[in-house]
Amino acid sequence: GLDRNALRLHLYTEADMVSAYPVLDEEMRESAALLKCNELTSGKYSLAWGFHCEAINLWYQALPEEDTYDQVWVIEDDVGFSGNIADLFRRFEGDSADLLTAEPGPVEEEWFWADTVSAAYA
């Protein structure tokens, strides 16, 4: 199994994301697509739901200088897996892929994240 002492969690809030990336607040107020997204406007989901890179970068910026990693796994909250997660990690040990996905494909125009980008990230 996995060594539980080797696992680390980084906790952050949506306020932490907005503080580090003020443009996210602008996106939430001005993006027509996001304003139509009930999951965000109702508070059901946070900005981290769609702005993964910014959330991951918060973790990276908080790392002590002596911490280094060969790989980082980011697993979205809607991913399901049955079995021993260590077996999944072992299966891809040494794999240099940047993305593991079941269904790669083009983004549909109606997808509300399709045009969500600010000038700061373009």
Side-chain angles (χ1 to χ4, degrees):
L2 291 175
D3 177 1
R4 292 188 186 276
N5 294 322
L7 298 177
R8 299 182 195 172
L9 295 177
H10 174 73
L11 303 176
Y12 62 93
T13 66
E14 186 168 303
D16 295 333
M17 288 183 67
V18 171
S19 176
Y21 304 97
V23 73
L24 294 179
D25 188 51
E26 169 192 321
E27 281 295 305
M28 285 304 298
R29 287 183 284 109
E30 297 178 10
S31 168
L34 292 184
L35 289 171
K36 292 180 195 173
C37 177
N38 186 50
E39 288 88 348
L40 284 172
T41 58
S42 70
K44 180 177 179 181
Y45 294 116
S46 79
L47 290 173
W49 180 53
F51 293 95
H52 305 328
C53 293
E54 294 81 0
I56 294 165
N57 194 43
L58 282 179
W59 161 78
Y60 182 76
Q61 296 298 323
L63 282 176
E65 197 171 299
E66 65 275 4
D67 281 6
T68 61
Y69 295 89
D70 295 325
Q71 295 177 321
V72 174
W73 284 75
V74 177
I75 303 172
E76 293 192 14
D77 64 349
D78 60 351
V79 171
F81 182 77
S82 298
N84 185 335
I85 194 79
D87 292 338
L88 176 69
F89 294 154
R90 273 190 222 94
R91 164 65 180 84
F92 292 98
E93 188 174 353
D95 191 315
S96 63
D98 290 326
L99 175 68
L100 302 176
T101 183
E103 299 178 24
V107 173
E108 298 170 6
E109 271 187 51
E110 321 62 73
W111 188 48
F112 53 83
W113 295 113
D115 293 320
T116 305
V117 66
S118 72
Y121 298 114

